[in-house]
mmCIF file of all heavy atoms in Angstrom:
data_model
loop_
_atom_site.group_PDB
_atom_site.id
_atom_site.type_symbol
_atom_site.label_atom_id
_atom_site.label_comp_id
_atom_site.label_asym_id
_atom_site.label_seq_id
_atom_site.Cartn_x
_atom_site.Cartn_y
_atom_site.Cartn_z
ATOM 1 N N VAL A 1 -28.335 143.173 227.653
ATOM 2 C CA VAL A 1 -27.062 142.770 228.135
ATOM 3 C C VAL A 1 -27.298 143.030 229.658
ATOM 4 O O VAL A 1 -27.509 144.067 230.132
ATOM 5 C CB VAL A 1 -25.957 143.548 227.629
ATOM 6 C CG1 VAL A 1 -24.642 143.155 228.314
ATOM 7 C CG2 VAL A 1 -25.949 143.543 226.092
ATOM 8 N N VAL A 2 -27.163 141.818 230.412
ATOM 9 C CA VAL A 2 -27.417 141.924 231.823
ATOM 10 C C VAL A 2 -26.301 141.374 232.636
ATOM 11 O O VAL A 2 -25.462 140.486 232.134
ATOM 12 C CB VAL A 2 -28.631 141.063 232.215
ATOM 13 C CG1 VAL A 2 -29.857 141.721 231.609
ATOM 14 C CG2 VAL A 2 -28.587 139.628 231.753
ATOM 15 N N GLY A 3 -25.986 141.872 233.772
ATOM 16 C CA GLY A 3 -24.868 141.583 234.593
ATOM 17 C C GLY A 3 -25.115 140.287 235.400
ATOM 18 O O GLY A 3 -26.257 139.811 235.581
ATOM 19 N N GLN A 4 -23.981 139.631 235.839
ATOM 20 C CA GLN A 4 -24.040 138.475 236.670
ATOM 21 C C GLN A 4 -22.876 138.561 237.656
ATOM 22 O O GLN A 4 -21.926 139.263 237.362
ATOM 23 C CB GLN A 4 -24.085 137.141 235.793
ATOM 24 C CG GLN A 4 -24.157 135.878 236.591
ATOM 25 C CD GLN A 4 -25.346 135.802 237.457
ATOM 26 O OE1 GLN A 4 -25.346 136.401 238.464
ATOM 27 N NE2 GLN A 4 -26.366 134.984 237.007
ATOM 28 N N VAL A 5 -22.968 137.853 238.724
ATOM 29 C CA VAL A 5 -21.894 137.764 239.671
ATOM 30 C C VAL A 5 -20.641 137.095 238.992
ATOM 31 O O VAL A 5 -20.772 136.418 237.949
ATOM 32 C CB VAL A 5 -22.236 136.955 240.889
ATOM 33 C CG1 VAL A 5 -23.389 137.548 241.595
ATOM 34 C CG2 VAL A 5 -22.525 135.502 240.558
ATOM 35 N N PRO A 6 -19.456 137.275 239.518
ATOM 36 C CA PRO A 6 -18.297 136.683 238.962
ATOM 37 C C PRO A 6 -18.415 135.170 238.731
ATOM 38 O O PRO A 6 -19.007 134.546 239.676
ATOM 39 C CB PRO A 6 -17.131 137.029 239.898
ATOM 40 C CG PRO A 6 -17.621 138.327 240.556
ATOM 41 C CD PRO A 6 -19.129 138.118 240.681
ATOM 42 N N THR A 7 -17.853 134.614 237.754
ATOM 43 C CA THR A 7 -18.075 133.208 237.487
ATOM 44 C C THR A 7 -17.646 132.295 238.614
ATOM 45 O O THR A 7 -18.424 131.264 238.817
ATOM 46 C CB THR A 7 -17.277 132.831 236.165
ATOM 47 O OG1 THR A 7 -15.904 133.308 236.297
ATOM 48 C CG2 THR A 7 -17.867 133.458 234.995
ATOM 49 N N PRO A 8 -16.599 132.497 239.470
ATOM 50 C CA PRO A 8 -16.390 131.635 240.516
ATOM 51 C C PRO A 8 -17.492 131.566 241.596
ATOM 52 O O PRO A 8 -17.649 130.689 242.332
ATOM 53 C CB PRO A 8 -15.039 132.146 241.157
ATOM 54 C CG PRO A 8 -14.440 132.955 240.088
ATOM 55 C CD PRO A 8 -15.595 133.497 239.349
ATOM 56 N N GLU A 9 -18.299 132.612 241.609
ATOM 57 C CA GLU A 9 -19.405 132.714 242.634
ATOM 58 C C GLU A 9 -20.825 132.284 242.117
ATOM 59 O O GLU A 9 -21.710 132.132 242.798
ATOM 60 C CB GLU A 9 -19.609 134.155 243.042
ATOM 61 C CG GLU A 9 -18.271 134.818 243.624
ATOM 62 C CD GLU A 9 -17.722 134.054 244.858
ATOM 63 O OE1 GLU A 9 -18.396 133.304 245.385
ATOM 64 O OE2 GLU A 9 -16.542 134.315 245.118
ATOM 65 N N VAL A 10 -20.866 131.960 240.809
ATOM 66 C CA VAL A 10 -22.118 131.491 240.204
ATOM 67 C C VAL A 10 -22.567 130.216 240.882
ATOM 68 O O VAL A 10 -21.860 129.260 240.940
ATOM 69 C CB VAL A 10 -21.972 131.342 238.649
ATOM 70 C CG1 VAL A 10 -23.305 130.692 238.097
ATOM 71 C CG2 VAL A 10 -21.763 132.714 238.001
ATOM 72 N N GLY A 11 -23.763 130.157 241.289
ATOM 73 C CA GLY A 11 -24.301 128.910 241.871
ATOM 74 C C GLY A 11 -24.147 128.849 243.455
ATOM 75 O O GLY A 11 -24.461 127.916 244.065
ATOM 76 N N THR A 12 -23.578 129.897 244.021
ATOM 77 C CA THR A 12 -23.251 129.893 245.503
ATOM 78 C C THR A 12 -24.219 130.749 246.291
ATOM 79 O O THR A 12 -24.021 130.996 247.499
ATOM 80 C CB THR A 12 -21.877 130.390 245.755
ATOM 81 O OG1 THR A 12 -21.821 131.787 245.409
ATOM 82 C CG2 THR A 12 -20.756 129.643 244.933
ATOM 83 N N ASP A 13 -25.304 131.218 245.714
ATOM 84 C CA ASP A 13 -26.232 132.151 246.307
ATOM 85 C C ASP A 13 -25.520 133.364 246.825
ATOM 86 O O ASP A 13 -25.738 133.902 247.856
ATOM 87 C CB ASP A 13 -26.940 131.484 247.439
ATOM 88 C CG ASP A 13 -28.208 132.238 247.915
ATOM 89 O OD1 ASP A 13 -28.741 132.972 247.032
ATOM 90 O OD2 ASP A 13 -28.632 132.050 249.073
ATOM 91 N N TYR A 14 -24.648 133.847 245.925
ATOM 92 C CA TYR A 14 -23.891 135.091 246.270
ATOM 93 C C TYR A 14 -24.734 136.349 246.285
ATOM 94 O O TYR A 14 -25.870 136.342 245.834
ATOM 95 C CB TYR A 14 -22.836 135.212 245.100
ATOM 96 C CG TYR A 14 -21.695 136.181 245.348
ATOM 97 C CD1 TYR A 14 -20.710 135.846 246.282
ATOM 98 C CD2 TYR A 14 -21.576 137.350 244.650
ATOM 99 C CE1 TYR A 14 -19.630 136.728 246.548
ATOM 100 C CE2 TYR A 14 -20.491 138.253 244.895
ATOM 101 C CZ TYR A 14 -19.586 137.893 245.805
ATOM 102 O OH TYR A 14 -18.438 138.752 246.027
ATOM 103 N N PHE A 15 -24.174 137.363 246.847
ATOM 104 C CA PHE A 15 -24.942 138.631 247.029
ATOM 105 C C PHE A 15 -25.494 139.029 245.656
ATOM 106 O O PHE A 15 -24.692 139.188 244.646
ATOM 107 C CB PHE A 15 -24.037 139.718 247.501
ATOM 108 C CG PHE A 15 -24.628 141.047 247.581
ATOM 109 C CD1 PHE A 15 -25.717 141.340 248.420
ATOM 110 C CD2 PHE A 15 -24.100 142.123 246.912
ATOM 111 C CE1 PHE A 15 -26.204 142.653 248.371
ATOM 112 C CE2 PHE A 15 -24.620 143.403 246.858
ATOM 113 C CZ PHE A 15 -25.726 143.711 247.682
ATOM 114 N N GLN A 16 -26.835 139.248 245.545
ATOM 115 C CA GLN A 16 -27.524 139.673 244.308
ATOM 116 C C GLN A 16 -27.723 138.735 243.287
ATOM 117 O O GLN A 16 -28.242 138.991 242.182
ATOM 118 C CB GLN A 16 -26.967 141.010 243.773
ATOM 119 C CG GLN A 16 -27.114 142.270 244.703
ATOM 120 C CD GLN A 16 -26.658 143.511 244.014
ATOM 121 O OE1 GLN A 16 -25.829 143.611 243.240
ATOM 122 N NE2 GLN A 16 -27.563 144.546 244.279
ATOM 123 N N GLU A 17 -27.142 137.483 243.467
ATOM 124 C CA GLU A 17 -27.175 136.512 242.360
ATOM 125 C C GLU A 17 -28.636 136.061 242.132
ATOM 126 O O GLU A 17 -29.379 135.705 243.067
ATOM 127 C CB GLU A 17 -26.372 135.224 242.775
ATOM 128 C CG GLU A 17 -26.306 134.231 241.582
ATOM 129 C CD GLU A 17 -25.564 132.986 242.073
ATOM 130 O OE1 GLU A 17 -25.110 132.846 243.246
ATOM 131 O OE2 GLU A 17 -25.427 132.080 241.154
ATOM 132 N N VAL A 18 -28.945 136.050 240.851
ATOM 133 C CA VAL A 18 -30.162 135.371 240.347
ATOM 134 C C VAL A 18 -29.843 134.525 239.168
ATOM 135 O O VAL A 18 -28.776 134.808 238.471
ATOM 136 C CB VAL A 18 -31.251 136.322 240.027
ATOM 137 C CG1 VAL A 18 -31.769 137.191 241.172
ATOM 138 C CG2 VAL A 18 -30.829 137.288 238.859
ATOM 139 N N ASP A 19 -30.530 133.545 238.827
ATOM 140 C CA ASP A 19 -30.274 132.668 237.638
ATOM 141 C C ASP A 19 -30.934 133.308 236.447
ATOM 142 O O ASP A 19 -32.075 133.103 236.111
ATOM 143 C CB ASP A 19 -30.921 131.337 237.845
ATOM 144 C CG ASP A 19 -30.432 130.271 236.835
ATOM 145 O OD1 ASP A 19 -30.176 130.747 235.696
ATOM 146 O OD2 ASP A 19 -30.473 129.133 237.190
ATOM 147 N N ASN A 20 -30.083 134.018 235.695
ATOM 148 C CA ASN A 20 -30.596 134.775 234.602
ATOM 149 C C ASN A 20 -31.243 133.891 233.530
ATOM 150 O O ASN A 20 -32.158 134.260 232.825
ATOM 151 C CB ASN A 20 -29.590 135.709 234.062
ATOM 152 C CG ASN A 20 -29.343 137.020 234.821
ATOM 153 O OD1 ASN A 20 -30.097 137.259 235.729
ATOM 154 N ND2 ASN A 20 -28.171 137.620 234.510
ATOM 155 N N ASP A 21 -30.566 132.770 233.332
ATOM 156 C CA ASP A 21 -31.129 131.905 232.207
ATOM 157 C C ASP A 21 -32.442 131.485 232.557
ATOM 158 O O ASP A 21 -33.360 131.314 231.631
ATOM 159 C CB ASP A 21 -30.130 130.657 232.025
ATOM 160 C CG ASP A 21 -28.842 131.109 231.441
ATOM 161 O OD1 ASP A 21 -28.727 132.145 230.795
ATOM 162 O OD2 ASP A 21 -27.862 130.383 231.591
ATOM 163 N N LYS A 22 -32.791 131.199 233.831
ATOM 164 C CA LYS A 22 -34.123 130.839 234.207
ATOM 165 C C LYS A 22 -35.047 132.066 234.192
ATOM 166 O O LYS A 22 -36.254 132.017 233.777
ATOM 167 C CB LYS A 22 -34.099 130.129 235.501
ATOM 168 C CG LYS A 22 -33.670 128.762 235.612
ATOM 169 C CD LYS A 22 -33.703 128.153 237.024
ATOM 170 C CE LYS A 22 -33.251 126.753 237.016
ATOM 171 N NZ LYS A 22 -33.438 126.143 238.446
ATOM 172 N N LEU A 23 -34.489 133.156 234.746
ATOM 173 C CA LEU A 23 -35.265 134.433 234.930
ATOM 174 C C LEU A 23 -35.880 134.842 233.578
ATOM 175 O O LEU A 23 -36.981 135.246 233.337
ATOM 176 C CB LEU A 23 -34.375 135.500 235.435
ATOM 177 C CG LEU A 23 -35.056 136.947 235.522
ATOM 178 C CD1 LEU A 23 -36.133 136.913 236.574
ATOM 179 C CD2 LEU A 23 -33.962 137.920 236.002
ATOM 180 N N PHE A 24 -35.018 134.739 232.438
ATOM 181 C CA PHE A 24 -35.437 135.337 231.176
ATOM 182 C C PHE A 24 -35.919 134.187 230.203
ATOM 183 O O PHE A 24 -36.125 134.515 229.024
ATOM 184 C CB PHE A 24 -34.235 136.058 230.511
ATOM 185 C CG PHE A 24 -33.952 137.307 231.264
ATOM 186 C CD1 PHE A 24 -32.794 137.347 232.140
ATOM 187 C CD2 PHE A 24 -34.702 138.500 231.154
ATOM 188 C CE1 PHE A 24 -32.384 138.474 232.797
ATOM 189 C CE2 PHE A 24 -34.358 139.563 231.856
ATOM 190 C CZ PHE A 24 -33.202 139.659 232.706
ATOM 191 N N ALA A 25 -36.069 132.946 230.747
ATOM 192 C CA ALA A 25 -36.470 131.817 229.857
ATOM 193 C C ALA A 25 -37.727 132.105 229.004
ATOM 194 O O ALA A 25 -37.881 131.747 227.897
ATOM 195 C CB ALA A 25 -36.468 130.563 230.613
ATOM 196 N N ASP A 26 -38.738 132.745 229.726
ATOM 197 C CA ASP A 26 -40.036 132.890 229.112
ATOM 198 C C ASP A 26 -40.072 134.049 228.112
ATOM 199 O O ASP A 26 -40.689 134.022 227.098
ATOM 200 C CB ASP A 26 -41.127 133.046 230.147
ATOM 201 C CG ASP A 26 -42.541 133.123 229.567
ATOM 202 O OD1 ASP A 26 -42.854 132.297 228.692
ATOM 203 O OD2 ASP A 26 -43.152 134.231 229.769
ATOM 204 N N VAL A 27 -39.279 135.181 228.502
ATOM 205 C CA VAL A 27 -39.398 136.333 227.737
ATOM 206 C C VAL A 27 -38.424 136.398 226.477
ATOM 207 O O VAL A 27 -38.746 137.130 225.528
ATOM 208 C CB VAL A 27 -39.124 137.610 228.600
ATOM 209 C CG1 VAL A 27 -37.622 137.754 228.963
ATOM 210 C CG2 VAL A 27 -39.549 138.939 227.971
ATOM 211 N N ALA A 28 -37.351 135.598 226.510
ATOM 212 C CA ALA A 28 -36.360 135.646 225.544
ATOM 213 C C ALA A 28 -36.509 134.516 224.465
ATOM 214 O O ALA A 28 -36.862 133.423 224.741
ATOM 215 C CB ALA A 28 -34.935 135.588 226.100
ATOM 216 N N VAL A 29 -36.211 135.002 223.208
ATOM 217 C CA VAL A 29 -36.163 133.956 222.141
ATOM 218 C C VAL A 29 -34.717 133.343 222.119
ATOM 219 O O VAL A 29 -34.472 132.271 221.461
ATOM 220 C CB VAL A 29 -36.447 134.597 220.739
ATOM 221 C CG1 VAL A 29 -37.811 135.148 220.668
ATOM 222 C CG2 VAL A 29 -35.427 135.711 220.415
ATOM 223 N N TRP A 30 -33.801 133.995 222.802
ATOM 224 C CA TRP A 30 -32.427 133.441 222.943
ATOM 225 C C TRP A 30 -31.796 133.980 224.200
ATOM 226 O O TRP A 30 -31.990 135.225 224.473
ATOM 227 C CB TRP A 30 -31.590 133.982 221.723
ATOM 228 C CG TRP A 30 -30.189 133.563 221.652
ATOM 229 C CD1 TRP A 30 -29.659 132.491 221.046
ATOM 230 C CD2 TRP A 30 -29.049 134.221 222.266
ATOM 231 N NE1 TRP A 30 -28.292 132.409 221.206
ATOM 232 C CE2 TRP A 30 -27.864 133.394 221.994
ATOM 233 C CE3 TRP A 30 -28.908 135.379 223.049
ATOM 234 C CZ2 TRP A 30 -26.556 133.820 222.305
ATOM 235 C CZ3 TRP A 30 -27.619 135.701 223.414
ATOM 236 C CH2 TRP A 30 -26.557 134.903 223.150
ATOM 237 N N ALA A 31 -31.235 133.178 225.000
ATOM 238 C CA ALA A 31 -30.531 133.602 226.209
ATOM 239 C C ALA A 31 -29.326 132.773 226.465
ATOM 240 O O ALA A 31 -29.219 131.575 226.288
ATOM 241 C CB ALA A 31 -31.476 133.433 227.420
ATOM 242 N N HIS A 32 -28.193 133.507 226.803
ATOM 243 C CA HIS A 32 -26.953 132.783 227.001
ATOM 244 C C HIS A 32 -26.109 133.521 227.987
ATOM 245 O O HIS A 32 -26.057 134.711 227.953
ATOM 246 C CB HIS A 32 -26.174 132.794 225.636
ATOM 247 C CG HIS A 32 -24.893 132.193 225.721
ATOM 248 N ND1 HIS A 32 -24.701 130.736 225.821
ATOM 249 C CD2 HIS A 32 -23.621 132.626 225.603
ATOM 250 C CE1 HIS A 32 -23.416 130.518 225.863
ATOM 251 N NE2 HIS A 32 -22.738 131.605 225.768
ATOM 252 N N THR A 33 -25.341 132.744 228.831
ATOM 253 C CA THR A 33 -24.423 133.335 229.773
ATOM 254 C C THR A 33 -23.054 133.144 229.199
ATOM 255 O O THR A 33 -22.613 132.142 228.958
ATOM 256 C CB THR A 33 -24.548 132.655 231.145
ATOM 257 O OG1 THR A 33 -25.757 132.880 231.765
ATOM 258 C CG2 THR A 33 -23.505 133.240 232.098
ATOM 259 N N LEU A 34 -22.346 134.238 229.013
ATOM 260 C CA LEU A 34 -20.969 134.351 228.546
ATOM 261 C C LEU A 34 -19.978 133.886 229.522
ATOM 262 O O LEU A 34 -19.885 134.525 230.643
ATOM 263 C CB LEU A 34 -20.629 135.758 227.947
ATOM 264 C CG LEU A 34 -19.722 135.877 226.845
ATOM 265 C CD1 LEU A 34 -20.127 135.186 225.602
ATOM 266 C CD2 LEU A 34 -19.369 137.326 226.573
ATOM 267 N N THR A 35 -19.316 132.785 229.345
ATOM 268 C CA THR A 35 -18.387 132.239 230.305
ATOM 269 C C THR A 35 -16.851 132.346 229.798
ATOM 270 O O THR A 35 -16.001 131.983 230.588
ATOM 271 C CB THR A 35 -18.759 130.807 230.663
ATOM 272 O OG1 THR A 35 -18.727 130.031 229.412
ATOM 273 C CG2 THR A 35 -20.089 130.745 231.378
ATOM 274 N N SER A 36 -16.712 132.602 228.540
ATOM 275 C CA SER A 36 -15.345 132.607 228.000
ATOM 276 C C SER A 36 -15.272 133.702 226.911
ATOM 277 O O SER A 36 -16.226 133.853 226.108
ATOM 278 C CB SER A 36 -15.036 131.288 227.382
ATOM 279 O OG SER A 36 -13.909 131.265 226.530
ATOM 280 N N ALA A 37 -14.149 134.385 226.809
ATOM 281 C CA ALA A 37 -13.933 135.378 225.829
ATOM 282 C C ALA A 37 -14.035 134.693 224.392
ATOM 283 O O ALA A 37 -14.350 135.329 223.368
ATOM 284 C CB ALA A 37 -12.680 136.045 226.031
ATOM 285 N N ASP A 38 -13.688 133.470 224.297
ATOM 286 C CA ASP A 38 -13.654 132.763 223.022
ATOM 287 C C ASP A 38 -15.048 132.631 222.339
ATOM 288 O O ASP A 38 -15.226 132.292 221.285
ATOM 289 C CB ASP A 38 -12.984 131.366 223.200
ATOM 290 C CG ASP A 38 -11.481 131.464 223.531
ATOM 291 O OD1 ASP A 38 -10.935 132.380 223.176
ATOM 292 O OD2 ASP A 38 -11.118 130.419 224.202
ATOM 293 N N GLN A 39 -16.072 132.826 223.227
ATOM 294 C CA GLN A 39 -17.520 132.729 222.646
ATOM 295 C C GLN A 39 -17.843 133.983 221.833
ATOM 296 O O GLN A 39 -18.967 133.886 221.237
ATOM 297 C CB GLN A 39 -18.428 132.499 223.885
ATOM 298 C CG GLN A 39 -18.177 131.151 224.550
ATOM 299 C CD GLN A 39 -19.115 131.086 225.765
ATOM 300 O OE1 GLN A 39 -19.350 132.065 226.449
ATOM 301 N NE2 GLN A 39 -19.531 129.869 226.078
ATOM 302 N N LEU A 40 -17.005 134.944 221.847
ATOM 303 C CA LEU A 40 -17.293 136.191 220.993
ATOM 304 C C LEU A 40 -16.430 136.045 219.761
ATOM 305 O O LEU A 40 -15.343 135.509 219.773
ATOM 306 C CB LEU A 40 -17.059 137.437 221.881
ATOM 307 C CG LEU A 40 -18.058 137.858 222.902
ATOM 308 C CD1 LEU A 40 -17.658 139.140 223.527
ATOM 309 C CD2 LEU A 40 -19.477 137.942 222.276
ATOM 310 N N PRO A 41 -16.955 136.630 218.669
ATOM 311 C CA PRO A 41 -18.189 137.423 218.509
ATOM 312 C C PRO A 41 -19.485 136.501 218.194
ATOM 313 O O PRO A 41 -20.468 136.954 218.036
ATOM 314 C CB PRO A 41 -17.921 138.288 217.298
ATOM 315 C CG PRO A 41 -17.015 137.437 216.476
ATOM 316 C CD PRO A 41 -16.110 136.722 217.474
#
């Protein structure tokens, strides 16, 4: 479970922002950024 900048700042080169979906694309069998509470569980 990895952190990300707040959703309004995603894609703005915000402080400490990295593209986790790209970063973990090779190591992960599944990767997803949670953008809505409705996506759980």
Side-chain angles (χ1 to χ4, degrees):
V1 179
V2 296
Q4 183 55 284
V5 300
T7 50
E9 306 296 345
V10 172
T12 68
D13 195 23
Y14 195 70
F15 174 65
Q16 292 191 320
E17 181 186 4
V18 298
D19 188 334
N20 284 346
D21 291 340
K22 286 184 178 179
L23 177 69
F24 294 102
D26 182 56
V27 74
V29 298
W30 180 93
H32 178 71
T33 298
L34 206 62
T35 57
S36 166
D38 295 335
Q39 294 174 327
L40 285 181

